[in-house]
Amino acid sequence: MTRVWKWNRPVTVREVLEDLQQERSIAYTTVMTVLDNLHQKGWVRREAEGRAYRYEAVSTRAAYAAALMNDAWTQSDNPAAALVAFFGMMSDEQRQALRDALRIIRDGGEEPVAETATAPEDAEGAGPNPADAQENPGSATRGGGR
């Protein structure tokens, strides 16, 4: 997923393969299998282009991260305590980002446009269920797949 999000455009298996091979040896079939699995799980959409497919993210990386955080938070038996513990782990920079996010929500403004990937298609706006991604959707992109 890291590669798909990074390029922010439809990508082929060959493109992802060539990018990954700059870091390590990996088989074409491995990349193809991972992208096919991501498609089956609803994380990417694909369009045929000749005999190949072009894959595109269904959700932004930010929406994916938000869904993961929401999933973790809702599994807590004490959500308030979980939030206090989480905020206690934050750096000053992260706390400032949280303040900025709360201000944006409070003021009804637009969210930051740090990522411009295709918006999710589902009504919730967070893309597929992150619990389904526990098999590491970025296994072909070790070192930052999530």
Side-chain angles (χ1 to χ4, degrees):
M1 282 305 302
T2 297
R3 284 351 192 247
V4 176
W5 281 321
K6 179 176 87 171
W7 287 321
N8 193 26
R9 62 171 174 77
V11 297
T12 64
V13 171
R14 176 85 41 213
E15 290 173 314
V16 175
L17 174 72
E18 289 172 358
D19 190 44
L20 289 169
Q21 285 180 333
Q22 293 177 18
E23 298 171 15
R24 64 188 173 101
S25 178
I26 188 168
Y28 180 93
T29 55
T30 301
V31 177
M32 183 176 62
T33 299
V34 169
L35 285 169
D36 185 59
N37 288 341
L38 290 169
H39 175 256
Q40 289 179 28
K41 290 181 179 190
W43 286 94
V44 296
R45 68 176 64 91
R46 69 183 181 194
E47 269 190 49
E49 182 176 282
R51 292 178 37 186
Y53 288 107
R54 284 206 171 268
Y55 295 86
E56 181 177 19
V58 170
S59 179
T60 65
R61 188 177 203 142
Y64 171 74
L68 283 175
M69 289 186 284
N70 186 59
D71 187 49
W73 183 54
T74 59
Q75 290 184 34
S76 173
D77 61 346
N78 187 341
L83 284 173
V84 169
F86 178 64
F87 297 156
M89 295 177 192
M90 292 177 140
S91 68
D92 289 339
E93 186 177 277
Q94 290 169 322
R95 283 191 200 98
Q96 185 57 52
L98 176 61
R99 282 186 210 91
D100 293 344
L102 289 171
R103 181 184 43 75
I104 290 166
I105 297 298
R106 182 190 66 227
D107 296 345
E110 294 293 318
E111 68 179 271
V113 187
E115 295 183 20
T116 57
T118 305
E121 294 178 339
D122 68 345
E124 296 299 319
N129 182 352
D132 295 339
Q134 294 305 311
E135 296 172 29
N136 189 4
S139 60
T141 60
R142 188 145 334 266
R146 286 191 189 191

